[in-house]
Structures are given as structure tokens and as C-alpha cells.
Amino acid sequence: MRTFGKWLGRILLMLVLAAAVIYVWKREEIHRLLAVNSLFTEEKIVHNFSHMDQAFLTREVSRGDGPVSDLPKGPDTPLPGGFSDWIDARSVTALVMLKDGQIVHESYYKGTAPEDQRISWSVAKSYLSALFGVIVAEGHIDSLDDPVTKYAPSLKGTAYDGATVRNVLQMSSGVTFNEDYLDYNSDINRMGRVIALGGTMDGFAEALSETFIAAGTEWQYVSIDTHILGMVIRGATGRDIASLLSEKIIQPLGYEASPYYITDGVGVAFVLGGLNIRTRDYARFGQMFLQDGAYGGQQIVPADWVAASTVPSANTDEGNLHYGYQWWMPKDVRDGEFFGIGIYGQYIYVNKPLGVVIAMNSADRRFKDEGVTDTNIAMFRAMAEAAQ
């Protein structure tokens, strides 16, 4: 019996030592996986959304050494009725509003500050759309009706074989992908664990094999489609997204601070949702789109791309929000009104007729409740009207 106890003790000691070795060897991956699993918890979400670099691999998107572009202070805008209740209900952390390029409202909440670099989530898709317009204008893409495999040949034989660039821009790839953030085993959450454990996004995309409908037939929001656009850009230009976005978009906009991307294990940018940017700098990007792609005296994104990407072109269902090239339009479409949107309440809202841009960051754990997006758009419209 004493011998058995000795052996049992030795086995337990070996297991403890093995666990310790594994932890030391894989401690960064374990730390990131734990971060993913607690990313949206009520007690951590606000801090996490302003400190994603503490939990994930990242890469700088350099702002360069040019001057910060001017965002002059304008007259304070009167706030519409219900504003304070809306701020609380939507767990807003930052709000910057521009009217004719001037800051007419700026406020920060929940202990955050203007210098925080806040996670974009899917607002990053609209940034990639802008970059896509630039590389199309530069001739790197022959046609939006080319198959994505022309520029990303590793996708041959996958679910994306047969989809065109335009199909993917419009979220009409037909690829089967579960986007339910509340389902631990959904594709979107499996993808998050790939990022946390240092896997590769290209490998994840190349492993997708199922479609639910022929490409171009039906609109369905599939976040991995945006990664495919990133693969197309990289294949067409031979360059990485972070350096391209820096050169073509961020540096010309004169950002206050260099953004950063969350990356996978080989340094590939998480282009579908991994940008981290100051809220005033999000507003600068929106102002550039309000001005038909021009900013600071130069044409950054071609005006025809801005026009094409911010009008309904995807085959969305009647009664839903409308979609263009990685930009959204309200259910009741109005000329010159569009927005980028990310989970948990991230927005860049543009109202060209009224000359208004609103950049908002939030930690809204009820963002999927019925009517929340409609309520947010209604508040943005009320704020835009109040600024006139």
C-alpha cells in the first residue's frame, strides 16, 4: 500500500510538472484563449475594448511622421431629447460628432479617455473597402467580376471557388458560415480561437468547404468574406494589408496616433474586425468619405469608388438594412446616408446632405436586441438635425 502511494505521488508530481512545462511553453496562447473567453464579460468588456493589445498579437499601422490633420472645434450642438438615457442604455464609451469638418460634440464615458484606441470590430470592413477602391484604381484588380481565385489561388477547391470579387464585396459569396456570437461552437467563435491560439486566418478560410447557395444569388452577412478580400489584395499587390493601409489611407488622413491590427499567428492582419483606433481618428475617416474620398487637399479614395460602395447594391431582404461594398445603409434609404457598424455598438455614421459624421464606440452587450440598430440610427439622425 505504501509502495502504491509512492507511485501515485510520483505520477501526480509528473502530471504537475508536465502541466507546468506546457504552461511555460504555451503560456501566451493560453493567455489569449482565456482573454477570448472573457472578452465580453460585463466586468471586463470596457477595459478590453480599449486594450486589445494586452490580450492579442498585434501589428502597428503606422501613421507616418507627417502632421496631425486639423479637426477644429466648432459650436457645441444642442443634444436631442433622450440623449442621456440613450448613452446609458447603449453603454457608449466615446462619441465624436463633426459638422462641416468641425467637432461639435465630443464626450467619453465609463472611465475611458480620448487617447484610448478602441476596437473597431466590423467597422474595419469599411476601412478595407476603402483600401480595395484604391488598389482597383491603381490597376491591381482587372475586374470586380474576376473570380477571387485569380488573386488568391489557394482558395481553389474551397467554398470560395466560383465566387467573384464583387460577390464577396457584397457579402453574397454563398459560403456557409455561422455568425452567432452567442454560440460557443459557431464559426465566428471558432475563428476567434484560431486567432487566440496563433493559428492562421488563411488556413481557416481555406478549410471552409460548404456553400448554402450559388455565389451571387443571395446576400448573407459572412465576416470571413472580408478576410477573402484581404487575401485578394495581398495576392494582387504582393504586399501586406497593414503597410498598404498605412500608406494609402492612414498617413494621408493625418491620424493622431498609429492604429494597430490584431493579427493571426503569422502576422496577417485580422482585417474583418481587428483595427484599434482613436475615436477622433475614426471621425476623420468618416469625414473623408463624406467628402467623396478627399481629405486634406488630396484625393485619397477614388470618388467613384466611394459612390459605388455606399449605395445599396447587394440583394438584401426587403425590410432589412441595405448593403453595398462593406458599407451599410438604413432600411429607409436616403441619398448620402450610410454607415460602418461593428458588434457591441461601434459606428461611423455619415450624413452627406447634412454635412455630419458621427463616430461612436460602445460596449453594448445588448446590441443584438430587437430594434437597437434602428434606435441608434434614429439618434444619429436627431443629432444631425440638431446640428443644423
Side-chain angles (χ1 to χ4, degrees):
M1 188 70 178
R2 185 177 299 173
T3 302
F4 174 76
K6 287 182 179 179
W7 277 106
L8 180 61
R10 289 173 183 172
I11 291 170
L12 290 174
L13 178 60
M14 290 174 64
L15 289 173
V16 169
L17 290 173
V21 169
I22 292 171
Y23 177 77
V24 171
W25 179 36
K26 292 289 187 180
R27 63 183 179 276
E28 291 187 4
E29 290 91 337
I30 292 170
H31 175 67
R32 292 196 296 270
L33 184 60
L34 291 173
V36 166
N37 289 336
S38 63
L39 195 60
F40 309 119
T41 58
E42 186 171 4
E43 65 275 14
K44 294 184 178 181
I45 187 171
V46 172
H47 174 84
N48 288 343
F49 279 17
S50 289
H51 301 89
M52 299 295 283
D53 54 341
Q54 295 180 3
F56 296 97
L57 298 171
T58 63
R59 179 171 179 178
E60 181 185 65
V61 183
S62 174
R63 68 163 303 281
D65 56 6
V68 175
S69 62
D70 190 28
L71 273 185
K73 182 73 172 70
D76 290 338
T77 293
L79 297 173
F83 178 83
S84 295
D85 290 341
W86 172 74
I87 289 287
D88 291 340
R90 301 278 61 85
S91 298
V92 175
T93 56
L95 192 65
V96 174
M97 177 177 174
L98 309 181
K99 164 64 176 171
D100 299 331
Q102 296 183 321
I103 296 178
V104 295
H105 177 83
E106 182 173 14
S107 54
Y108 300 91
Y109 308 91
K110 296 186 177 294
T112 68
E115 294 74 29
D116 285 18
Q117 291 186 288
R118 297 172 171 84
I119 182 69
S120 64
W121 297 123
S122 288
V123 170
K125 294 177 170 70
S126 300
Y127 274 79
L128 197 72
S129 173
L131 181 61
F132 210 94
V134 173
I135 71 153
V136 167
E138 291 180 349
H140 297 290
I141 303 293
D142 296 326
S143 170
L144 296 186
D145 296 315
D146 285 341
V148 294
T149 52
K150 178 177 178 177
Y151 306 99
S154 65
L155 293 172
K156 291 179 179 177
T158 74
Y160 283 95
D161 200 344
T164 68
V165 173
R166 192 186 309 275
N167 296 155
V168 179
L169 276 166
Q170 296 174 325
M171 294 283 182
S172 301
S173 66
V175 170
T176 301
F177 190 85
N178 182 349
E179 193 91 4
D180 186 356
Y181 286 88
L182 303 181
D183 177 358
Y184 179 82
N185 293 312
S186 68
D187 293 308
I188 196 74
N189 285 327
R190 287 195 306 110
M191 184 179 67
R193 294 191 288 275
V194 167
I195 291 285
L197 294 173
T200 70
M201 286 294 297
D202 286 0
F204 181 86
E206 290 158 6
L208 296 174
S209 60
E210 296 182 10
T211 58
F212 70 93
I213 202 167
T217 305
E218 182 178 313
W219 180 89
Q220 180 168 298
Y221 192 78
V222 174
S223 278
I224 196 67
D225 278 4
T226 308
H227 181 77
I228 301 304
L229 295 177
M231 293 178 72
V232 168
I233 291 174
R234 287 186 278 127
T237 64
R239 294 183 57 187
D240 64 272
I241 301 298
S243 65
L244 270 173
L245 189 71
S246 166
E247 176 189 334
K248 306 296 185 182
I249 306 292
I250 302 303
Q251 293 189 46
L253 284 174
Y255 270 16
E256 295 176 7
S258 293
Y260 64 89
Y261 267 120
I262 293 170
T263 73
D264 69 7
V266 294
V268 171
F270 186 51
V271 296
L272 61 90
L275 272 173
N276 295 263
I277 299 175
R278 291 185 182 182
T279 307
R280 282 193 294 257
D281 286 338
Y282 283 121
R284 285 179 167 91
F285 180 78
Q287 185 67 27
M288 182 257 291
F289 260 72
L290 184 144
Q291 296 169 175
D292 299 320
Y295 195 89
Q298 60 178 314
Q299 192 72 38
I300 299 174
V301 178
D304 59 353
W305 182 265
V306 172
S309 59
T310 58
V311 294
S313 60
N315 187 25
T316 53
D317 293 334
E318 186 175 350
N320 288 340
L321 297 173
H322 299 272
Y323 206 71
Y325 296 163
Q326 311 283 295
W327 284 92
W328 296 87
M329 297 92 230
K331 295 175 182 177
D332 57 332
V333 178
R334 302 180 184 181
D335 288 343
E337 186 185 33
F338 52 90
F339 53 95
I341 184 173
I343 56 170
Y344 295 90
Q346 325 312 315
Y347 285 86
I348 297 177
Y349 168 84
V350 179
N351 191 317
K352 290 175 69 175
L354 298 183
V356 167
V357 171
I358 298 173
M360 184 174 89
N361 296 104
S362 307
D364 184 5
R365 298 173 74 246
R366 300 185 64 179
F367 74 100
K368 290 190 71 174
D369 286 2
E370 186 176 356
V372 166
T373 301
D374 293 340
T375 299
N376 290 339
I377 297 304
M379 179 56 70
F380 296 155
R381 286 173 170 174
M383 293 173 65
E385 291 286 352
Q388 305 311 303

